Amino acid sequence: MRRLLYLLAAAVVLPLLGTTAMAAAQAELVRAFVYDQTLTAYVAITGTDQPVTKAEAKIGGQSFPASQAMETVRQAGAPVTYLLLVDCSTSMPAYAEEVAAFAGTLGSGGGENTRFTLATFGEEFVVAAEDLTAAELPQAMADLSYEARGTRLQSGIQGALDYFESIPRQGGELRSMVVLTDAVEYDSTGEATYDETLQRVEDSDVMVHALGFGFDEASLESLFSLVEASGGSCWQAGSQAEAAQAAEALAEETGNLFVTGFSLGTYQTEGGETEVSITFASNGELMAKAERRVVFPAMEGEAPVKEGLPSAETPVQTQEAASSSGSEAATAEDDGLGWLPLAAVGAFLVIVVIVGAATAANRRKRRRAASLQGAAAPPSSPPVPPGPVEANGIFLRLEVLTGQLASGRTEFSLTDQLMVGRDALCDIVFDSQTISRRHARVFAANGAVYIEDLGSQNGTAVNGTPIHMANILRSGDEIAMGDVRFRLKF
């Protein structure tokens, strides 16, 4: 269905434009907030394999270039805080092992800048332990007791949001709450209303996720609706293995979000909720646009920022976002679409809305599966079709040391990039669950061959050394991804 929609978009838009257009990507502004005069944005970008080379935020008629590199959470080592909100009522002891399995797996899958807060709810919200490392988390989970005789789920969620608002933010940290519960209400006395809780999770800069247990489908459906309003993910688990898979999926999803920042030192506002629009471009071509209402504190700037300020291009080792240059701003006026014929703009927007709606619907269906069997893995990364071999590229020969090569091909002409992973549409495909669907890419720049990990679960190593940015490859270097080992000779 989605392919049909993309083909329809091309058929409608390209004849109107009379020129070649970049396939539309989708960008979702997952979270955005202002801290220390910087707008920090966490973004999910799908539908393209092109690197983001420029980004620009528009706020109240002013434009602000990205002042930080645009990298994934894993690449940037961005701080992430998880608050695990555990239902400690008397209906939960049967799921204690699943709760522990989820926490242990999430702890091992988070980065070195990931911290944990453990909180419980029953009749009231209680913070059990704060600022835990992954190593400290299992013991804190083992110390929990499931003895509460009442369950006030919505009050527990509200208490967790109150807690986040009461503590200072650590820079541009991404804040997430994970509710672990069977969602059954035992005592609604003094309970915050459902509509109040729904509105609050929609407005909060805290992402809400949930892992549900048991068979009360109506209660779980109600909880999962709150989660979807937050833009988070939800799973239902009936075993330790499924709980661990849910944690792996959450760690992968979080680690693959893009994060960047926009310095607002000159922005003036009395504070309040404001519409923020961010456009993303690749090599001068508009890729996608994302919008979100963001709460601003009162800010006193010296002068408004001129539109179209130039910014630095992406260095080889990162996907750095920057604003459009003055000339690009002139040709991309009106959020990058002013140069298009009016009819093309209308057709383009209609198709993007349809595709976006289909994408969101499919994402919700995946997340709300009744069990994680065969669906616990994170959603597939955007497919990257292998390109044709060109004679003027860098000749590469693949030598597999360990692992099962599924794609068969061992000789390549590197003209742009080669994708490595277990997805069938990668250029180099290995049949191994220890590597990610799109694990790494090999690309040419300035006459050299580079390899870059794409935020994979198990990482990439060259000659035994894990890499955290694009590294130059020498012919014959040993590359390791999970249990796969291979060399590229050129």
Side-chain angles (χ1 to χ4, degrees):
M1 182 63 180
R2 289 179 62 190
R3 287 186 179 179
L4 180 60
L5 291 172
Y6 284 124
L7 290 174
L8 178 60
V12 173
V13 175
L14 292 183
L16 291 171
L17 297 180
T19 184
T20 301
M22 179 179 292
Q26 293 83 49
E28 179 185 359
L29 197 50
V30 175
R31 280 297 177 273
F33 51 84
V34 178
Y35 176 82
D36 195 22
Q37 294 190 310
T38 296
L39 171 67
T40 299
Y42 287 86
V43 188
I45 297 179
T46 57
T48 181
D49 62 333
Q50 299 297 318
V52 178
T53 57
K54 293 181 182 294
E56 184 174 74
K58 285 198 173 182
I59 311 165
Q62 298 183 40
S63 296
F64 299 88
S67 55
Q68 299 174 9
M70 186 162 182
E71 301 174 296
T72 65
V73 168
R74 275 208 186 93
Q75 290 170 336
V80 178
T81 297
Y82 288 105
L83 186 150
L84 303 186
L85 182 60
V86 183
D87 181 350
C88 280
S89 66
T90 53
S91 65
M92 285 291 293
Y95 310 116
E97 291 183 349
E98 284 83 355
V99 170
F102 177 89
T105 304
L106 184 63
S108 62
E112 61 178 340
N113 292 323
T114 300
R115 311 294 285 187
F116 300 88
T117 292
L118 180 59
T120 63
F121 72 94
E123 295 172 303
E124 60 183 11
F125 170 81
V126 177
V127 176
E130 298 179 278
D131 199 29
L132 297 169
T133 64
E136 296 168 335
L137 185 58
Q139 184 58 54
M141 298 297 298
D143 292 339
L144 293 180
S145 59
Y146 298 88
E147 300 175 348
R149 297 191 177 278
T151 306
R152 299 176 181 172
L153 172 59
Q154 292 167 41
S155 291
I157 294 173
Q158 294 263 15
L161 295 175
D162 289 340
Y163 168 80
F164 269 123
E165 291 178 2
S166 71
I167 60 176
R169 183 179 289 279
Q170 302 299 313
E173 70 173 316
L174 177 64
R175 293 178 163 184
S176 294
M177 176 203 314
V178 185
V179 186
L180 299 105
T181 180
D182 60 8
V184 178
E185 293 279 3
Y186 284 93
D187 179 7
S188 60
T189 304
E191 179 75 15
T193 69
Y194 184 85
D195 288 343
E196 290 172 346
T197 307
L198 180 67
Q199 186 62 53
R200 191 162 181 200
V201 298
E202 284 182 339
D203 296 340
S204 176
D205 64 13
V206 176
M207 291 195 71
V208 181
H209 309 281
L211 180 62
F213 306 101
F215 306 98
D216 191 328
E217 296 298 333
S219 296
L220 291 172
E221 180 75 16
S222 177
L223 170 62
F224 291 166
S225 294
L226 289 175
V227 170
E228 289 182 353
S230 169
S233 299
C234 45
W235 300 268
Q236 188 174 344
S239 68
Q240 293 183 55
E242 289 177 351
Q245 288 170 353
E248 289 176 357
L250 178 56
E252 182 84 1
E253 180 181 295
T254 302
N256 286 335
L257 289 176
F258 285 91
V259 57
T260 189
F262 303 85
S263 177
L264 305 178
T266 57
Y267 185 60
Q268 303 177 24
T269 177
E270 295 180 356
E273 196 174 62
T274 303
E275 186 76 21
V276 172
S277 171
I278 302 179
T279 53
F280 304 91
S282 178
N283 300 319
E285 293 190 67
L286 178 69
M287 293 176 62
K289 174 182 172 182
E291 297 177 332
R292 189 180 183 92
R293 295 195 68 81
V294 178
V295 176
F296 281 72
M299 301 174 64
E300 296 184 1
E302 296 179 1
V305 178
K306 294 182 179 179
E307 294 195 19
L309 291 178
S311 63
E313 292 289 344
T314 304
V316 170
Q317 65 269 26
T318 63
Q319 292 185 344
E320 182 174 356
S323 73
S324 301
S325 67
S327 60
E328 289 169 351
T331 58
E333 193 175 357
D334 252 339
D335 294 334
L337 295 176
W339 56 276
L340 295 174
L342 183 59
V345 174
F348 180 81
L349 290 178
V350 168
I351 297 302
V352 169
V353 168
I354 295 173
V355 173
T359 301
N362 288 336
R363 185 181 300 160
R364 284 195 295 271
K365 289 178 182 178
R366 286 196 301 266
R367 287 174 172 171
R368 298 180 59 183
S371 90
L372 291 175
Q373 279 291 11
S380 298
S381 298
V384 182
V389 176
E390 297 180 15
N392 61 350
I394 300 174
F395 177 80
L396 303 180
R397 178 178 287 112
L398 170 66
E399 178 185 341
V400 179
L401 303 179
T402 63
Q404 181 63 43
L405 181 66
S407 50
R409 185 174 164 198
T410 58
E411 294 184 350
F412 306 86
S413 182
L414 179 63
T415 57
D416 183 13
Q417 66 178 8
L418 299 173
M419 304 302 299
V420 184
R422 71 171 192 269
D423 192 306
L425 292 180
C426 287
D427 302 281
I428 302 175
V429 183
F430 286 97
D431 184 11
S432 172
Q433 293 299 312
T434 66
I435 68 173
S436 299
R437 288 179 171 83
R438 294 171 74 247
H439 195 106
R441 69 179 183 124
V442 177
F443 64 97
N446 301 321
V449 178
Y450 290 78
I451 185 168
E452 181 183 22
D453 187 89
L454 299 177
S456 66
Q457 179 68 30
N458 293 320
T460 301
V462 176
N463 297 326
T465 302
I467 63 172
H468 303 289
M469 58 180 64
N471 274 40
I472 292 181
L473 277 180
R474 296 169 301 178
S475 179
D477 281 348
E478 182 174 319
I479 302 166
M481 302 176 181
D483 59 10
V484 170
R485 304 284 187 280
F486 63 96
R487 293 190 177 98
L488 291 173
K489 297 184 177 180
F490 48 92

